[in-house]
Amino acid sequence: MVNETQHTCSASSSSRSDGSSSGSESSKDNSHCSTPVLDADRHERLREKMRRRQDAGDKWFSLEFFPPRTANAAVNLISRFDRMGAGGPLFIDVTWHPAGDPGSDKETSSMIIANTAVNYCGLETILHMTCCNQTKDDITGHLQKAKRLGLKNIMALRGDPAGEEWEEEVDGFNYAVDLVKHIRNEFDDYFDVCVAGYPKGHPEAESYEADLRHLKEKVFAGADFIITQLFFRPETFLKFMKDCQAIGITCPIIPGIFPIQGYHSLRQLVKLSKLEVPQEIKDVIEPIKDNDAAIRNYGVELAVSMCRELLDSGMVHGLHFYTLNREVATTEVLKRLGIWKEDPRRPLPWAVSAHPKRRVEDVRPIFWASRPKSYIYRTQEWDDFPNGRWGNSSSPAFGELKDYYLFYLKSKSPREELLKMWGEELTGEESVFEVFTCYITGEPNRNGYKVTCMPWNDDPLATETNLLKDQLEKVNRRGILTINSQPNINGKPSTDPIVGWGPSGGYVFQKAYLEFFTSSEIVTALLKVLKKYELRVNYHIVNVKGQNITNAPDLQPNAVTWGIFPGREIIQPTVVDPVSFLSWKDEAFALWIEQWAKLYEEESPSRMIIQYIHDNYYLVNLVDNDFPLENCLWQVVEDTFELLN
Amino acid sequence: MVNETQHTCSASSSSRSDGSSSGSESSKDNSHCSTPVLDADRHERLREKMRRRQDAGDKWFSLEFFPPRTANAAVNLISRFDRMGAGGPLFIDVTWHPAGDPGSDKETSSMIIANTAVNYCGLETILHMTCCNQTKDDITGHLQKAKRLGLKNIMALRGDPAGEEWEEEVDGFNYAVDLVKHIRNEFDDYFDVCVAGYPKGHPEAESYEADLRHLKEKVFAGADFIITQLFFRPETFLKFMKDCQAIGITCPIIPGIFPIQGYHSLRQLVKLSKLEVPQEIKDVIEPIKDNDAAIRNYGVELAVSMCRELLDSGMVHGLHFYTLNREVATTEVLKRLGIWKEDPRRPLPWAVSAHPKRRVEDVRPIFWASRPKSYIYRTQEWDDFPNGRWGNSSSPAFGELKDYYLFYLKSKSPREELLKMWGEELTGEESVFEVFTCYITGEPNRNGYKVTCMPWNDDPLATETNLLKDQLEKVNRRGILTINSQPNINGKPSTDPIVGWGPSGGYVFQKAYLEFFTSSEIVTALLKVLKKYELRVNYHIVNVKGQNITNAPDLQPNAVTWGIFPGREIIQPTVVDPVSFLSWKDEAFALWIEQWAKLYEEESPSRMIIQYIHDNYYLVNLVDNDFPLENCLWQVVEDTFELLN
């Protein structure tokens, strides 16, 4: 803003001088290395974000999901979080299923799904919680656990009573308002609290007016905003909103949008919610009830037109979507409304976790670039996160890769698919080279299958890596098995669609990076070649036993991605850290065995080939420090092959 | 003076090299923000530096000074430290004058001069200390104070006995070895300890051999190295060194070199040291004893030839010079020997303090670029120093500018000279513009005097600022009174002679910066112009009352100088910090009055002109964030003038 923020500051800066540090650990937060606040979002709580968007006139959306039934469904839901997260929801919410052990550590529980969304997918998340038929201790336990996991928002609900005929419990949780009060009593202002509103009145309420009064009680007990039950006509919501305002409810009220996606899901929902479907909708749907596509198209149309009316009213700033864990209809509605972010600006080159403890984090080692969830998992016990500098030999140990959380590190693809991609039967190291090459080129393998993932990369090649495709193909064919790379960038605008990140008006830079597995013969030649390049190329070479060759000065980290922005300190989000490389090495080598070798029978030739590579190959990383010049790493590899011939 | 205090000898040791520190101070080293160790020198103790130089076959030199008698002489000596420090001495040492209250807080005391050399000039420094006629408590007090001030090295000497006839005190400090033992007992390995050696034997020793035994005692008691008394023939030293080795003294022995600079100083020295001048030297000197230049030339010749012989022997790695606080002869000898660093590589763009507490410091606000000593003074109470990031709202307050230390901030030039440069009589604001313009151009002012310093710049224009000379001249003529600026740099090699810094193989960058005083009329126009530039230009405008206009996002600091190096994290040594700017503002405005207005009589028109500027002008800083493009700040100023016309 070029506007004059006129403030008269007292002459000396003594006002901010209390930040003296005493204890060794906590002093971190008060150190000089405070975050540059690359994006305000990371530092605001949900209600602040909502207010800021509203003040700025930005329209937004949010997405509701329910917890999956099986572990495989959970893996798929997490991928969906990533894909739908890319569209830029203000938040997502995860419903609470009392019957499904919702507060447990099971990978399908509401608690753990919400945890994953926040910590691993970086999504602002609301966890639903119901209170009826539960003790205060149970509820407090759930809330404490949510807090511990980094969840900051709760949707406080009553939930369904156990029996048909429901009776109030004395001193128990009888209504959502009891839960709201409990949260505020026990956790003060820690959580943002959301409550449900019923545009037609709650089906069990004495009257519409009585229900409005209940809603007001919930808000006055400390709720920050309201999400409504679904409705079928925009005027239903707009009337409800005016009625709320008329009785003094001033907090944000977010309409719940339900794009009709199928005949059966609609019927089921109507039954559960005791809502009535308007005749005009029934008239359209009944004749096409067996045509799923037609119903979905109609649902999308209907939702788009209703959302437009709501937004045009000027009273609605955000829309909440009941996704039913499906992607297509909601995404379509959002795209048609123009509020799906087609090109979300990345605040940093990697996916930022939304855990409050990690809000200052702005440096990571490059090694986990394709496995950000594994990185977050392995650093979850850290008390503080690198900010500004990575530092040397200073980071706490990385977590082991041994417990049930490995779930997050599993491939999305089933064994049969992996075998088709990576080979039902391997005939030698060369057939492994071929798999790597097919992954790079996108061409089908000898059996006609495309290789769309690798043990080290669960997704197809990144757009940025595509810049290096030809070179990568060449070297993989010859046994330089690349798993991570980036081109050098000498000052591209931060808005560049491929390599840009951070706020606009800045410039981003990279040093060329190449990481690969290769045989000891190639390593021997490579080391001779590297001598010629001296300090221009930093290298680190290690085998599974930890034999370790590097020219990193004093094992210091090397910044390989950085950005310069208006009015800010320099951000260097990615480093090649020789110390962390040894933790990554364990993971990178383990993936050969855990993900690839174990596809085959024990003692089978295929398995032994992978085992041989695991036991004998080296993991190599190379950095070209001369980022303004042409990337010399391809020449290094070329020279190496020449020396071998 | 040249060991004008005689020492009894004794002593001992071999060297230690564990140098680990514990306690709260060192915990910083384990944080994520550890320093990138841009130059190892900052982290080594003196004996380690000595050993590393010797192992690398690098020849080095050191310089001895005595404390000045007057405050003005102290100001001059400090300038000499800066100039001679630029030649790259491994260390300097400051002698101890028992008669001059050497441990006091007087600006001329040995303690405070050594403190200045370490903290403000960034020189590795040895403080001499004598022990005879002093109590253990006195000595311990001195050593504690030295430690508190950041001094790490002590030259342990006996000193002159009080009376003519000297008697041993029981349990007192009788010999230098007692002081060495005391230091090791009370301070363990904190200090590096140096002792004196006498190539011809100490004049009071029973014999040359007995004196050698005393030296061995001192070394074995814990001394780390030996500096010798002066001598006139290289063979004297080489024999002495062999004799030392023969009795098991293995620590470094550094020859003390005394370039003869004049007839009288030589005679006085000989008298004090009880040395005999060889006949061949007397033969040359006596005939030219009234020709100072001739004697100095001869002295330089003699010293060069002796030093060459010593270095050629292969036994000598460093040379210690008795400078007598003079510059010319010693500098000449060092240049002829080729060990004076003509182009010292700057580890950072600003002068680094040698205080151990500041060893991680690698970020400073740009405002004090021309007043680094003031910056060090005003931050001396900080418990830790910015490293990697400046951060926002995190640094402790800046010290006030009120006590006797303002001494360091005084101009080197006397009042009469300043009046000649800045005008005996000012006739209006325009005559002030003229002074600024003459300073920039280097042209004489209307009275024929060159303006070689300004209240904000004690030295002539920096080479780098010269790049902007034409533009600066133009704007100063019109009342944009510049006091600090830097051009934009888009990736020059770190070895660039003008803008380079840090290790070789890197690239340095800068955003263009301009800081000036100007009238409120110009500020009003400037603000209109700046609107057009939006986020491209960050500005901060403040007057003496603290009225404050800025577009710095969240008062965050803006990195304006940074460097990218092989195998290292990014270094950003200079920031424009909107919060510190308010502390700098006080100093910058005060300099108008303290250094300029007060040259004139109270109520005089000249004084009132400066007072008017002080009261009514604004201090402005501008940063052009688009460092890869042509610097737009001149266009901003141009547009401003156009708007005014």
Side-chain angles (χ1 to χ4, degrees):
Chain A
M1 288 273 283
V2 189
N3 213 346
E4 294 89 297
T5 20
Q6 291 261 12
H7 38 240
T8 314
C9 296
S10 59
S12 85
S13 51
S14 53
S15 53
R16 64 204 180 91
S17 66
D18 55 335
S20 64
S21 55
S22 47
S24 59
E25 209 101 51
S26 64
S27 71
K28 289 288 157 50
D29 291 337
N30 300 324
S31 85
H32 290 290
C33 301
S34 65
T35 185
V37 200
L38 251 185
D39 75 309
D41 265 13
R42 286 175 80 182
H43 292 257
E44 284 174 336
R45 41 198 306 170
L46 179 52
R47 64 192 184 207
E48 290 161 358
K49 291 183 197 181
M50 224 174 257
R51 198 157 299 275
R52 192 163 53 86
R53 293 284 197 104
Q54 177 167 338
D55 292 347
D58 286 347
K59 306 302 181 198
W60 53 265
F61 67 94
S62 52
L63 303 169
E64 181 163 316
F65 299 93
F66 53 79
R69 268 167 236 265
T70 66
N72 272 344
V75 173
N76 287 328
L77 183 60
I78 295 164
S79 303
R80 185 162 296 127
F81 285 171
D82 286 338
R83 286 193 301 273
M84 296 190 80
L90 187 67
F91 62 88
I92 70 151
D93 58 332
V94 178
T95 60
W96 187 258
H97 282 210
D101 204 355
S104 76
D105 283 338
K106 282 196 304 191
E107 56 216 11
T108 55
S109 79
S110 300
M111 186 71 81
I112 294 303
I113 291 296
N115 166 50
T116 303
V118 168
N119 289 299
Y120 295 89
C121 306
L123 297 169
E124 180 81 49
T125 301
I126 302 179
L127 176 63
H128 289 219
M129 205 170 278
T130 62
C131 61
C132 72
N133 302 319
Q134 289 190 80
T135 66
K136 277 198 180 175
D137 284 353
D138 286 346
I139 292 285
T140 301
H142 290 323
L143 289 165
Q144 275 166 342
K145 182 169 184 174
K147 183 175 173 184
R148 209 164 54 240
L149 294 175
L151 292 160
K152 293 276 298 173
N153 314 293
I154 300 291
M155 173 120 179
L157 300 165
R158 187 193 71 182
D160 286 320
E164 276 300 294
E165 285 307 303
W166 171 68
E167 277 180 36
E168 285 195 23
E169 267 182 76
V170 182
D171 282 341
F173 289 109
N174 295 307
Y175 300 99
V177 68
D178 300 329
L179 179 52
V180 175
K181 285 177 183 164
H182 180 73
I183 294 173
R184 289 293 174 230
N185 281 340
E186 302 278 314
F187 294 86
D188 197 23
D189 200 33
Y190 178 80
F191 290 106
D192 278 19
V193 176
C194 171
V195 292
Y198 298 85
K200 289 261 187 188
H202 192 279
E204 292 167 18
E206 311 97 82
S207 68
Y208 176 75
E209 289 69 28
D211 195 46
L212 277 183
R213 284 194 303 273
H214 291 316
L215 181 57
K216 185 173 171 178
E217 274 172 46
K218 290 195 279 188
V219 173
F220 278 67
D224 296 297
F225 51 93
I226 297 162
I227 295 177
T228 76
Q229 177 60 291
L230 66 92
F231 49 90
F232 293 100
R233 292 180 180 133
E235 53 272 28
T236 309
F237 177 82
L238 294 174
K239 174 182 184 300
F240 170 70
M241 193 151 177
K242 278 176 205 147
D243 294 337
C244 286
Q245 286 169 348
I247 62 162
I249 296 175
T250 56
C251 71
I253 304 175
I254 306 146
I257 309 296
F258 175 73
I260 297 170
Q261 306 196 47
Y263 186 76
H264 293 289
S265 60
L266 176 64
R267 273 185 56 139
Q268 201 187 353
L269 190 95
V270 164
K271 199 179 127 198
L272 279 168
S273 62
K274 299 178 183 154
L275 289 174
E276 205 169 308
V277 179
Q279 194 55 46
E280 69 268 23
I281 295 180
K282 283 190 193 152
D283 289 348
V284 179
I285 282 184
E286 285 295 335
I288 55 171
K289 66 178 178 185
D290 297 321
N291 185 339
D292 282 356
I295 288 191
R296 201 173 61 203
N297 288 343
Y298 171 68
V300 167
E301 283 303 327
L302 201 65
V304 167
S305 108
M306 185 164 77
C307 290
R308 285 223 174 101
E309 209 164 316
L310 290 171
L311 294 173
D312 289 349
S313 74
M315 297 174 71
V316 171
H317 306 277
L319 301 164
H320 184 73
F321 284 82
Y322 294 106
T323 67
L324 303 186
N325 285 15
R326 297 189 205 157
E327 232 167 308
V328 180
T330 300
T331 308
E332 174 77 13
V333 173
L334 288 166
K335 286 183 176 172
R336 300 237 330 243
L337 290 170
I339 57 177
W340 178 269
K341 274 204 220 157
E342 284 301 339
D343 175 27
R345 301 276 315 122
R346 301 185 294 168
L348 286 169
W350 31 262
V352 171
S353 169
H355 193 294
K357 219 170 61 170
R358 298 183 90 114
R359 66 176 51 169
V360 299
E361 180 182 27
D362 68 6
V363 194
R364 289 185 186 174
I366 196 170
F367 317 121
W368 284 268
S370 300
R371 295 176 62 76
K373 292 187 178 65
S374 156
Y375 179 77
I376 292 168
Y377 166 64
R378 294 187 67 181
T379 60
Q380 64 186 340
E381 300 300 334
W382 289 10
D383 285 328
D384 56 320
F385 290 90
N387 165 244
R389 284 270 171 84
W390 178 263
N392 50 354
S393 60
S394 56
S395 42
F398 285 83
E400 294 295 322
L401 276 172
K402 283 185 182 147
D403 64 14
Y404 91 99
Y405 254 105
L406 267 168
F407 154 67
Y408 286 117
L409 315 172
K410 275 200 310 202
S411 177
K412 288 181 305 223
S413 312
R415 179 168 177 273
E416 314 77 62
E417 236 174 84
L418 295 177
L419 279 171
K420 280 178 190 158
M421 290 197 269
W422 303 344
E424 305 272 357
E425 210 182 316
L426 301 174
T427 53
E429 291 166 64
E430 283 71 20
S431 46
V432 174
F433 301 178
E434 263 182 49
V435 174
F436 276 85
T437 310
C438 288
Y439 174 70
I440 296 291
T441 60
E443 303 288 318
N445 63 18
R446 63 173 63 184
N447 299 315
Y449 294 101
K450 288 202 180 185
V451 181
T452 57
C453 68
M454 292 292 283
W456 307 270
N457 304 70
D458 215 18
D459 295 300
L461 219 53
T463 336
E464 189 192 0
T465 315
N466 256 310
L467 300 174
L468 307 171
K469 202 162 164 175
D470 292 349
Q471 313 272 22
L472 288 170
E473 178 186 349
K474 236 192 280 178
V475 306
N476 276 283
R477 278 199 196 290
R478 302 179 68 176
I480 298 258
L481 306 177
T482 60
I483 60 170
N484 195 355
S485 56
Q486 69 176 23
N488 58 318
I489 302 291
N490 187 15
K492 288 226 181 179
S494 58
T495 47
D496 184 279
I498 296 176
V499 298
W501 52 273
S504 62
Y507 294 91
V508 298
F509 293 78
Q510 289 179 183
K511 291 179 180 176
Y513 179 73
L514 192 61
E515 184 182 333
F516 52 86
F517 290 100
T518 201
S519 67
S520 63
E521 293 70 35
I522 291 181
V523 163
T524 307
L526 178 66
L527 277 168
K528 280 188 196 135
V529 168
L530 283 169
K531 282 211 176 100
K532 220 174 55 186
Y533 288 84
E534 290 181 348
L535 274 185
R536 171 155 184 189
V537 177
N538 278 114
Y539 57 85
H540 200 160
I541 302 173
V542 65
N543 67 5
V544 74
K545 297 177 212 92
Q547 286 170 326
N548 197 6
I549 315 166
T550 180
N551 67 344
D554 313 317
L555 292 183
Q556 281 189 58
N558 190 353
V560 293
T561 302
W562 63 99
I564 318 294
F565 300 95
R568 289 199 158 82
E569 297 196 70
I570 310 234
I571 320 296
Q572 51 158 29
T574 328
V575 297
V576 169
D577 171 39
V579 179
S580 326
F581 186 60
L582 298 180
S583 294
W584 164 245
K585 176 263 298 180
D586 293 338
E587 184 169 337
F589 276 102
L591 288 165
W592 281 108
I593 302 300
E594 296 302 319
Q595 294 220 6
W596 200 336
K598 289 190 175 167
L599 295 177
Y600 309 108
E601 298 289 313
E602 274 188 64
E603 309 286 321
S604 67
S606 294
R607 183 147 178 177
M608 285 166 71
I609 287 163
I610 300 296
Q611 185 75 48
Y612 175 85
I613 290 178
H614 171 269
D615 295 348
N616 293 284
Y617 272 37
Y618 284 80
L619 181 61
V620 178
N621 76 52
L622 303 177
V623 177
D624 176 4
N625 287 301
D626 262 333
F627 61 97
L629 313 182
E630 204 190 336
N631 179 353
C632 74
L633 300 182
W634 306 117
Q635 192 58 50
V636 168
V637 174
E638 198 58 46
D639 292 356
T640 304
F641 286 132
E642 235 165 66
L643 191 66
L644 281 168
N645 287 348
Chain B
M1 277 237 162
V2 185
N3 292 346
E4 84 269 61
T5 43
Q6 324 292 299
H7 333 300
T8 302
C9 352
S10 303
S12 81
S13 152
S14 60
S15 51
R16 290 154 301 272
S17 65
D18 51 339
S20 69
S21 57
S22 60
S24 63
E25 213 117 47
S26 66
S27 74
K28 282 283 148 40
D29 292 339
N30 298 325
S31 87
H32 288 296
C33 302
S34 65
T35 184
V37 200
L38 253 185
D39 76 308
D41 264 14
R42 284 175 79 182
H43 291 257
E44 284 175 336
R45 41 198 303 171
L46 179 52
R47 66 193 184 207
E48 290 163 359
K49 291 184 196 181
M50 225 175 258
R51 198 158 300 274
R52 192 164 53 87
R53 294 285 196 102
Q54 177 168 338
D55 292 348
D58 286 346
K59 305 304 180 197
W60 54 265
F61 67 94
S62 52
L63 303 169
E64 182 163 315
F65 298 93
F66 52 82
R69 267 167 236 264
T70 66
N72 271 344
V75 173
N76 286 327
L77 182 61
I78 294 163
S79 303
R80 184 162 297 127
F81 285 171
D82 286 338
R83 286 192 302 271
M84 296 189 81
L90 188 67
F91 63 87
I92 70 151
D93 57 333
V94 177
T95 61
W96 186 258
H97 283 209
D101 205 357
S104 76
D105 284 338
K106 282 196 304 191
E107 58 215 10
T108 54
S109 78
S110 300
M111 186 72 81
I112 294 303
I113 291 296
N115 166 50
T116 303
V118 168
N119 289 298
Y120 294 89
C121 305
L123 297 168
E124 179 81 49
T125 301
I126 302 178
L127 176 62
H128 289 219
M129 204 171 279
T130 63
C131 61
C132 71
N133 303 317
Q134 290 190 79
T135 66
K136 277 196 180 175
D137 284 353
D138 286 345
I139 292 285
T140 301
H142 291 322
L143 289 165
Q144 276 166 342
K145 183 168 185 174
K147 183 176 173 183
R148 209 165 53 240
L149 293 174
L151 292 159
K152 294 276 298 174
N153 314 293
I154 300 290
M155 173 120 180
L157 300 166
R158 186 193 73 182
D160 284 322
E164 276 301 294
E165 284 307 304
W166 171 69
E167 276 180 36
E168 286 194 23
E169 270 181 76
V170 181
D171 282 340
F173 289 110
N174 295 307
Y175 301 100
V177 67
D178 300 328
L179 179 52
V180 175
K181 287 177 182 163
H182 179 75
I183 293 173
R184 288 294 173 230
N185 282 340
E186 302 278 314
F187 294 86
D188 198 23
D189 200 34
Y190 178 80
F191 291 105
D192 277 19
V193 176
C194 171
V195 291
Y198 297 86
K200 287 263 187 186
H202 191 277
E204 291 169 18
E206 312 97 84
S207 69
Y208 175 75
E209 288 70 27
D211 195 47
L212 277 183
R213 284 195 302 275
H214 291 315
L215 181 58
K216 186 172 172 178
E217 277 172 44
K218 291 196 283 189
V219 173
F220 278 68
D224 297 297
F225 50 92
I226 296 162
I227 294 177
T228 76
Q229 177 59 292
L230 65 92
F231 51 89
F232 293 101
R233 292 179 180 131
E235 54 271 27
T236 308
F237 176 82
L238 295 173
K239 175 183 181 301
F240 170 72
M241 192 151 177
K242 279 175 203 145
D243 293 338
C244 286
Q245 287 169 347
I247 62 164
I249 296 174
T250 56
C251 71
I253 305 176
I254 305 144
I257 309 296
F258 174 73
I260 298 171
Q261 305 197 48
Y263 186 74
H264 293 289
S265 61
L266 176 62
R267 272 185 57 143
Q268 202 190 352
L269 188 96
V270 163
K271 199 180 128 197
L272 281 167
S273 62
K274 296 176 184 158
L275 290 173
E276 207 168 308
V277 180
Q279 193 56 45
E280 70 268 21
I281 295 181
K282 281 187 193 158
D283 288 348
V284 177
I285 281 184
E286 283 296 334
I288 53 169
K289 68 179 177 185
D290 296 322
N291 185 338
D292 281 357
I295 288 189
R296 201 174 61 202
N297 288 343
Y298 170 68
V300 167
E301 284 303 326
L302 202 66
V304 167
S305 110
M306 186 163 79
C307 290
R308 286 222 173 102
E309 210 165 313
L310 290 171
L311 295 172
D312 289 349
S313 74
M315 298 172 72
V316 171
H317 306 277
L319 301 164
H320 184 73
F321 284 82
Y322 295 109
T323 67
L324 305 187
N325 285 17
R326 294 188 206 158
E327 234 168 306
V328 182
T330 300
T331 308
E332 173 76 15
V333 172
L334 288 165
K335 286 185 175 172
R336 298 227 344 233
L337 291 170
I339 56 178
W340 178 268
K341 274 203 220 157
E342 285 300 337
D343 175 29
R345 300 276 316 120
R346 301 185 295 169
L348 286 169
W350 32 261
V352 170
S353 169
H355 193 294
K357 218 170 63 171
R358 299 184 89 113
R359 66 177 51 170
V360 299
E361 180 181 28
D362 68 6
V363 195
R364 290 186 186 173
I366 196 171
F367 317 120
W368 283 268
S370 300
R371 296 176 61 75
K373 292 187 179 65
S374 156
Y375 180 77
I376 293 168
Y377 165 63
R378 295 187 67 182
T379 60
Q380 63 186 341
E381 300 301 334
W382 289 10
D383 285 330
D384 56 320
F385 289 90
N387 166 243
R389 284 270 171 84
W390 178 262
N392 50 354
S393 64
S394 57
S395 45
F398 285 83
E400 293 296 323
L401 276 173
K402 284 189 181 143
D403 65 12
Y404 90 98
Y405 253 104
L406 267 167
F407 155 68
Y408 286 118
L409 314 173
K410 275 202 310 203
S411 175
K412 286 181 308 223
S413 312
R415 179 170 177 273
E416 312 80 59
E417 236 175 84
L418 295 176
L419 279 170
K420 281 177 189 158
M421 290 196 272
W422 301 344
E424 305 272 357
E425 212 182 313
L426 302 173
T427 52
E429 290 167 64
E430 283 72 21
S431 45
V432 173
F433 300 179
E434 263 181 51
V435 174
F436 276 85
T437 310
C438 289
Y439 174 70
I440 297 290
T441 60
E443 304 287 319
N445 64 17
R446 64 172 62 181
N447 299 314
Y449 293 101
K450 288 200 179 185
V451 180
T452 56
C453 69
M454 292 294 282
W456 307 269
N457 303 72
D458 215 18
D459 295 300
L461 220 55
T463 337
E464 188 191 357
T465 315
N466 255 310
L467 300 173
L468 307 171
K469 204 163 161 173
D470 293 348
Q471 314 271 24
L472 288 171
E473 178 186 346
K474 238 191 278 179
V475 307
N476 276 283
R477 275 197 199 292
R478 302 179 69 176
I480 298 259
L481 307 177
T482 60
I483 61 169
N484 195 354
S485 57
Q486 69 175 22
N488 59 320
I489 303 291
N490 187 16
K492 287 225 180 182
S494 57
T495 48
D496 183 279
I498 295 176
V499 298
W501 53 272
S504 61
Y507 293 90
V508 298
F509 293 78
Q510 290 178 182
K511 292 180 179 175
Y513 179 73
L514 192 61
E515 183 182 334
F516 53 85
F517 290 100
T518 203
S519 66
S520 62
E521 292 69 37
I522 292 181
V523 162
T524 307
L526 178 66
L527 278 168
K528 282 189 194 133
V529 168
L530 283 169
K531 284 209 172 106
K532 218 174 57 187
Y533 288 84
E534 289 181 350
L535 274 186
R536 170 153 185 190
V537 177
N538 278 114
Y539 59 83
H540 199 160
I541 301 174
V542 66
N543 67 5
V544 73
K545 297 177 211 93
Q547 284 172 327
N548 196 8
I549 313 165
T550 181
N551 67 344
D554 312 318
L555 292 184
Q556 282 190 58
N558 190 351
V560 292
T561 301
W562 64 98
I564 317 297
F565 301 95
R568 290 200 157 81
E569 297 196 70
I570 309 229
I571 320 294
Q572 52 160 27
T574 326
V575 296
V576 169
D577 171 36
V579 179
S580 323
F581 187 57
L582 298 180
S583 294
W584 164 245
K585 177 266 295 180
D586 294 339
E587 186 170 335
F589 276 102
L591 288 165
W592 280 107
I593 303 300
E594 296 302 318
Q595 293 218 7
W596 199 336
K598 289 193 175 167
L599 295 176
Y600 308 108
E601 298 290 313
E602 274 188 62
E603 309 287 322
S604 67
S606 296
R607 183 146 177 180
M608 286 165 70
I609 289 163
I610 301 297
Q611 185 74 48
Y612 175 84
I613 290 178
H614 171 270
D615 295 347
N616 293 285
Y617 273 37
Y618 284 79
L619 181 61
V620 177
N621 76 50
L622 303 176
V623 177
D624 176 5
N625 288 300
D626 260 335
F627 61 95
L629 313 182
E630 205 190 334
N631 178 353
C632 74
L633 300 182
W634 305 118
Q635 192 59 49
V636 168
V637 174
E638 197 59 46
D639 292 355
T640 304
F641 286 132
E642 236 166 64
L643 191 66
L644 281 169
N645 285 347

